[in-house]
């Protein structure tokens, strides 16, 4: 459905539905805040199942790496009795490590999710919590990713909708091509007029 420049597509609806399912699942299982799972679902949901699986794989790898560093951070911070300087210097250092490692294992598309996971978990661990809290937050990211991929498998875009979008894109490209040709013609005419003077 499109109203002027504003379009409500299937991906938008699936994204909202994935967030709703995360909230519902966490409510029914009394798992706590669905924040991390809902964000993981939003990050993982793509236009179709194939893209979602590819991006989901990258996200799971990134989440695992980010979660691992969050747990290491939690352990080191607890050794130093939650000292502010540990947070101030260790987290930025871990950001560097996450980027270098992700690049080294060719998971560049998972860098942002790895850093986001690490920071969300590391900066939201309440005082007095155990390492189990960090493990559960990593599990939350997997739950959100699985919900997004599953939803994309169940609700696939209609072929007609894809074809319609392609046709609309082609019409728009043809308009832009015509505009460019007109501009080129005008420039050539101006150059020709200038050279005749």
């Amino acid at each position: 459905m499109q109203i002027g420049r504003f379009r409500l597509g299937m991906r938008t609806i699936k994204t909202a539905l994935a967030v709703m399912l995360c909230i519902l699942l966490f409510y029914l299982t009394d798992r706590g805040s669905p924040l991390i799972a809902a964000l993981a679902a939003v990050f993982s949901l793509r236009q179709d199942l194939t893209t979602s699986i590819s991006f989901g794989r990258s996200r799971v790898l990134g989440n695992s790496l980010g979660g691992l560093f969050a747990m290491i951070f939690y352990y080191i911070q607890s050794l130093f009795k939650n000292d502010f300087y540990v947070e101030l210097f260790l987290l930025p250092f871990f950001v560097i490590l996450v980027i270098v490692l992700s690049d080294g294992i060719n998971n560049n598309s998972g860098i942002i999710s790895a850093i986001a996971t690490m920071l969300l978990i590391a900066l939201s661990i309440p005082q007095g919590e155990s390492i189990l809290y960090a493990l559960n937050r990593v599990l939350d990211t997997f739950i959100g990713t699985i919900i997004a991929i599953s939803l994309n498998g169940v609700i696939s875009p209609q072929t007609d909708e894809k074809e319609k979008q392609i046709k609309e894109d082609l019409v728009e490209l043809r308009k832009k091509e015509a505009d460019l040709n007109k501009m080129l013609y005008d420039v050539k005419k101006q150059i020709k007029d200038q050279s005749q003077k």
Side-chain angles (χ1 to χ4, degrees):
M1 176 171 78
Q2 189 159 346
I3 301 171
R5 294 182 354 205
F6 303 100
R7 186 173 65 88
L8 176 63
M10 185 56 72
R11 183 173 170 190
T12 304
I13 293 168
K14 287 190 291 188
T15 302
L17 191 55
V19 169
M20 185 177 90
L21 289 173
C22 287
I23 293 168
L24 180 63
L25 177 67
F26 277 59
Y27 174 77
L28 293 175
T29 60
D30 196 28
R31 186 158 175 78
S33 173
L35 172 68
I36 293 174
L39 285 172
V42 170
F43 285 142
S44 299
L45 204 127
R46 294 292 178 245
Q47 64 268 22
D48 56 32
L49 181 61
T50 306
T51 312
S52 284
I53 289 174
S54 171
F55 194 80
R57 186 179 313 123
S58 164
R59 178 136 177 86
V60 164
L61 185 55
N63 290 348
S64 300
L65 189 60
L68 174 67
F69 276 102
M71 288 185 284
I72 293 169
F73 169 78
Y74 171 78
Y75 177 73
I76 293 171
Q77 191 181 39
S78 66
L79 289 177
F80 288 91
K81 304 204 184 322
N82 297 318
D83 188 61
F84 168 74
Y85 293 108
V86 172
E87 183 177 303
L88 181 66
F89 293 108
L90 192 60
L91 276 179
F93 177 69
F94 279 1
V95 167
I96 292 169
L97 286 178
V98 166
I99 293 169
V100 170
L101 286 173
S102 294
D103 185 51
I105 60 174
N106 201 24
N107 189 33
N108 292 330
S109 59
I111 289 174
I112 292 174
S113 65
I115 292 171
T117 299
M118 181 186 70
L119 293 176
L120 271 170
I121 294 170
L123 295 174
S124 68
I125 298 175
Q127 288 279 3
E129 282 292 342
S130 68
I131 196 100
L132 188 59
Y133 180 87
L135 280 170
N136 275 315
R137 299 304 69 85
V138 173
L139 182 59
D140 291 351
T141 63
F142 294 143
I143 291 169
T145 302
I146 290 167
I147 286 174
I149 291 171
S150 301
L151 193 58
N152 236 346
V154 172
I155 304 173
S156 58
Q158 298 291 329
T159 306
D160 294 341
E161 186 178 319
K162 281 184 178 180
E163 288 176 7
K164 181 182 173 189
Q165 185 63 47
I166 290 170
K167 287 178 183 177
E168 289 173 3
D169 290 344
L170 283 173
V171 167
E172 192 64 33
L173 282 172
R174 286 186 185 121
K175 285 179 186 175
K176 288 180 181 181
E177 181 183 24
D179 290 343
L180 284 172
N181 285 333
K182 185 182 181 313
M183 287 172 52
L184 184 61
Y185 174 79
D186 290 344
V187 168
K188 284 181 180 179
K189 186 177 179 198
Q190 286 178 351
I191 292 172
K192 184 178 178 184
D193 290 346
Q194 295 272 338
S195 66
Q196 288 177 353
K197 291 181 179 181

